[in-house]
């Protein structure tokens, strides 16, 4: 591989290093870091504090990727994924915990070469991934590994696919199944879930559908394990989500913009404290509450229309979105339009639970064919917003009659953020920021459930 030798940044290599360069903090763009890559570690040094540096062992690295920054400039982001062993509160010993590092590259401002920063970030990503993969202790896991695995796996060898993880890994599996040429048959493979992440929303939903009392932690694992042993199969809705870039994703859990998405993504920095990371991130985000400008439209669940007047005419024949029209066209006349306004959050739920202890849509079921749409408008106090999430633990937040909280049942939706910056998530995974629309496909997949 010639990437490390070819990828010295313009400010020159450090002695003994394969690569060396300057990056800034990906979130703020202010704090400057000097990154040095060797064959065994990635060293991160804060330029404002040269005496302090952090050495990240590549044996703990699962890979790296680069992408164009969401900022309106020519910058690019470099993301590196580590899973170091750390001591966790109440744990019997050190366990591997996710540690994502994001850096922004904005050294080149040549108007004639808008991709210069992206190419340089991609060379860093390739070099880091190569060096981490070459370590003998590496487990060959990486982001989208599960998606790639099920995309090409011989599914005739298994009766079902059981995922021991959080919701993110199942998101990869579902989209890997839908990527296959034989997707119609593949997506009928029964899916099982055992809670092994920090959110475990689908696992909590599966338990909720048994109408048993709420449980958490090991008790939730026992409940889901019991249901797997019984082997009862039910249908599972899939939601097709079309992004402004033309990309298409398949979701089973949720779509979020605003407060919920911010908390989910920003809590990644606190993964070492487990599920408590969501509480800590919630309190921090409440202290600095953000407001987002945008538009929202949806097709009410009561609508009897079976197709849009002008649907998609693309080569993608997987579960055709017959209720949607292209993003550049107005929504059909029987859709409900929410006038442009300021939102604190928009949340579309496809299962009952948003987290292991958050019963966001109490009446939802795995195959009800509905999008349970919530949005909170600006003007709500921080105290009221906190009380709403507190009430969500028992599913009583809709009983309050809060004027800033709106709940609607829908079959399709369109969301158009007008604020320049923000975060959107699908099943807890960050997706590109911009206009999108979604449609539910009732019972398209199968789930091992009650």
């Amino acid at each position: 591989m010639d990437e490390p030798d070819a990828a010295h940044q313009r400010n020159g290599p450090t002695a003994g290093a394969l690569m060396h360069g300057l990056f800034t903090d990906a979130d703020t763009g202010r704090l400057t870091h000097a990154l040095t890559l060797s064959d065994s570690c990635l060293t991160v040094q804060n330029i404002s504090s040269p005496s302090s540096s952090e050495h990240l062992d590549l044996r703990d690295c699962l890979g790296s990727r680069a992408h164009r920054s969401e900022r309106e400039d020519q910058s690019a982001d470099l993301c590196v994924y580590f899973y170091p062993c750390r001591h966790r509160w109440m744990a019997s010993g050190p366990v591997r915990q996710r540690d994502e590092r994001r850096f922004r590259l904005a050294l080149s401002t040549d108007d004639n070469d808008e991709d210069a920063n992206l190419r340089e970030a991609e060379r860093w990503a390739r070099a880091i991934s190569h060096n981490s993969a070459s370590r003998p202790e590496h487990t060959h896991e990486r982001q989208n590994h599960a998606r790639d695995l099920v995309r090409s796996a011989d599914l005739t060898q298994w009766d079902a696919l059981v995922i021991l993880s959080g919701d993110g890994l199942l998101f990869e599996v579902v989209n890997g199944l839908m990527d296959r040429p034989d997707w119609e048959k593949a997506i009928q493979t029964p899916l099982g879930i055992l809670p092994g992440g920090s959110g475990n929303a689908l696992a909590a939903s599966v338990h909720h559908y048994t109408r048993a009392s709420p449980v958490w932690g090991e008790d939730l694992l026992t409940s889901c394990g019991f249901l797997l042993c019984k082997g009862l199969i039910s249908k599972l809705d899939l939601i097709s989500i079309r992004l402004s870039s033309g990309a298409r994703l398949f979701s089973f859990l949720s779509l979020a913009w605003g407060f919920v998405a911010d908390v989910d993504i920003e809590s990644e920095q606190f993964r070492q404290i487990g599920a408590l990371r969501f509480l800590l991130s919630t309190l921090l985000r409440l202290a600095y509450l953000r407001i987002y400008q945008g538009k929202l439209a949806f097709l009410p669940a009561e609508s009897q229309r079976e197709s849009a007047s002008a649907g998609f005419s693309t080569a993608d024949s997987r579960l055709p979105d017959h209720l949607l029209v292209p993003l550049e066209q107005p929504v059909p006349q029987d859709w409900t339009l929410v006038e442009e306004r300021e939102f604190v959050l928009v949340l579309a739920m496809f299962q009952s639970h948003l987290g292991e202890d958050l019963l966001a849509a109490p009446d939802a079921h795995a195959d009800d064919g509905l999008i349970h749409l919530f949005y909170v408008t600006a003007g709500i106090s921080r105290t009221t917003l906190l009380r709403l999430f507190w009430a969500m633990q028992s599913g009583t937040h809709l009983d309050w009659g809060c004027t800033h909280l709106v709940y609607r049942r829908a079959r399709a939706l369109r969301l158009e953020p007008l604020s320049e910056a923000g975060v959107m998530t699908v099943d807890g995974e960050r997706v590109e920021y911009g206009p999108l629309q979604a449609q539910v496909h009732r019972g398209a997949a199968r789930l091992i459930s009650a």
Side-chain angles (χ1 to χ4, degrees):
M1 175 189 175
D2 61 356
E3 287 298 330
D5 293 334
H8 288 298
Q9 294 236 19
R10 66 188 65 187
N11 36 351
T14 296
L18 299 175
M19 298 178 69
H20 181 78
L22 295 179
F23 291 75
T24 59
D25 183 87
D27 295 321
T28 65
R30 290 192 291 268
L31 189 63
T32 303
H33 302 285
L35 266 59
T36 303
L37 176 67
S38 72
D39 60 355
S40 61
C41 75
L42 178 67
T43 300
V44 182
Q45 185 177 41
N46 184 350
I47 294 299
S48 62
S49 179
S51 60
S52 64
S53 61
E54 186 177 11
H55 302 282
L56 303 174
D57 196 330
L58 291 182
R59 290 176 298 181
D60 298 326
C61 180
L62 289 185
S64 178
R65 69 183 181 96
H67 60 88
R68 195 179 303 277
S69 174
E70 295 180 354
R71 296 170 178 265
E72 293 184 357
D73 54 22
Q74 299 174 9
S75 63
D77 286 352
L78 173 69
C79 303
V80 191
Y81 306 97
F82 292 90
Y83 282 77
C85 290
R86 293 173 176 166
H87 287 277
R88 190 171 65 187
W89 184 61
M90 295 296 289
S92 58
V95 295
R96 289 201 179 272
Q97 300 174 41
R98 188 171 188 266
D99 182 10
E100 178 183 348
R101 300 301 180 96
R102 298 174 61 243
F103 307 97
R104 176 170 168 254
L105 181 63
L107 296 181
S108 175
T109 57
D110 185 358
D111 291 336
N112 296 322
D113 190 357
E114 297 181 354
D115 295 329
N117 287 315
L118 179 60
R119 288 198 305 272
E120 188 66 21
E122 288 174 339
R123 299 199 323 182
W124 272 84
R126 288 195 296 270
I128 292 171
S129 296
H130 171 78
N131 283 9
S132 62
S134 65
R135 308 300 297 171
E137 298 85 355
H138 195 268
T139 62
H140 300 290
E141 297 175 6
R142 53 182 170 77
Q143 189 179 36
N144 281 324
H145 185 198
R147 183 170 184 168
D148 294 338
L149 179 63
V150 300
R151 182 188 289 132
S152 57
D154 180 5
L155 297 180
T156 64
Q157 301 297 310
W158 304 302
D159 295 322
L161 295 176
V162 178
I163 293 86
L164 172 59
S165 183
D167 302 302
L169 191 61
L170 184 57
F171 174 75
E172 288 191 15
V173 169
V174 166
N175 282 275
L177 293 174
M178 292 300 295
D179 285 343
R180 296 170 60 102
D182 62 342
W183 64 270
E184 288 182 279
K185 182 178 180 181
I187 199 61
Q188 294 304 304
T189 304
L191 302 173
I193 185 71
L194 291 172
S198 52
N200 304 318
L202 182 62
S205 299
V206 167
H207 173 81
H208 175 73
Y209 301 148
T210 68
R211 300 183 180 179
S213 300
V215 292
W216 302 271
E218 291 185 5
D219 292 333
L220 179 59
L221 177 61
T222 301
S223 175
C224 290
F226 171 75
L227 293 173
L228 286 178
C229 292
K230 293 192 70 174
L232 300 177
I233 308 299
S234 62
K235 292 183 178 181
L236 174 68
D237 291 346
L238 288 186
I239 289 75
S240 166
I241 298 178
R242 293 182 180 264
L243 308 178
S244 57
S245 65
R248 191 181 184 204
L249 304 172
F250 292 94
S251 167
F252 62 89
L253 180 64
S254 65
L255 162 67
W257 173 49
F259 186 86
V260 171
D262 292 343
V263 168
D264 201 358
I265 297 304
E266 293 171 5
S267 68
E268 292 286 340
Q269 61 186 308
F270 307 121
R271 270 189 174 269
Q272 64 271 21
I273 64 174
L276 289 175
R277 69 187 177 104
F278 295 111
L279 175 59
L280 178 56
S281 186
T282 296
L283 296 176
L284 290 174
R285 184 46 46 220
L286 278 171
Y288 302 96
L289 193 61
R290 295 173 181 151
I291 304 299
Y292 296 93
Q293 192 81 19
K295 299 179 182 179
L296 178 64
F298 61 92
L299 176 65
E302 299 78 18
S303 172
Q304 300 301 313
R305 183 168 55 83
E306 294 300 323
S307 64
S309 57
F312 282 94
S313 56
T314 69
D316 189 350
S317 61
R318 302 169 299 168
L319 297 178
D321 292 327
H322 58 282
L323 297 177
L324 304 179
V325 297
L327 274 169
E328 61 270 15
Q329 297 181 15
V331 296
Q333 293 184 351
D334 55 345
W335 283 46
T336 298
L337 300 178
V338 180
E339 63 183 60
E340 180 182 330
R341 64 181 60 193
E342 292 182 330
F343 296 93
V344 173
L345 66 88
V346 175
L347 174 65
M349 292 295 304
F350 320 131
Q351 303 295 330
S352 62
H353 279 67
L354 180 60
E356 193 167 315
D357 58 351
L358 291 175
L359 181 54
D363 297 331
H365 205 275
D367 62 342
D368 60 13
L370 296 174
I371 294 174
H372 298 265
L373 178 61
F374 302 83
Y375 60 90
V376 174
T377 56
I380 189 172
S381 69
R382 291 174 173 81
T383 301
T384 301
L385 185 60
L386 180 60
R387 291 178 65 191
L388 279 177
F389 277 91
W390 184 266
M392 194 180 291
Q393 293 183 348
S394 58
T396 59
H397 51 292
L398 294 175
D399 301 334
W400 275 26
C402 177
T403 57
H404 291 282
L405 172 63
V406 180
Y407 168 56
R408 296 289 184 266
R409 298 185 180 192
R411 297 168 61 197
L413 65 82
R414 177 182 290 184
L415 177 58
E416 299 180 70
L418 301 178
S419 299
E420 292 186 358
V423 173
M424 286 181 163
T425 60
V426 174
D427 295 356
E429 300 297 309
R430 189 170 187 169
V431 298
E432 68 181 67
Y433 183 71
L436 57 77
Q437 52 187 357
Q439 172 186 329
V440 62
H441 294 273
R442 187 170 189 175
R446 298 206 295 168
L447 178 69
I448 302 176
S449 182

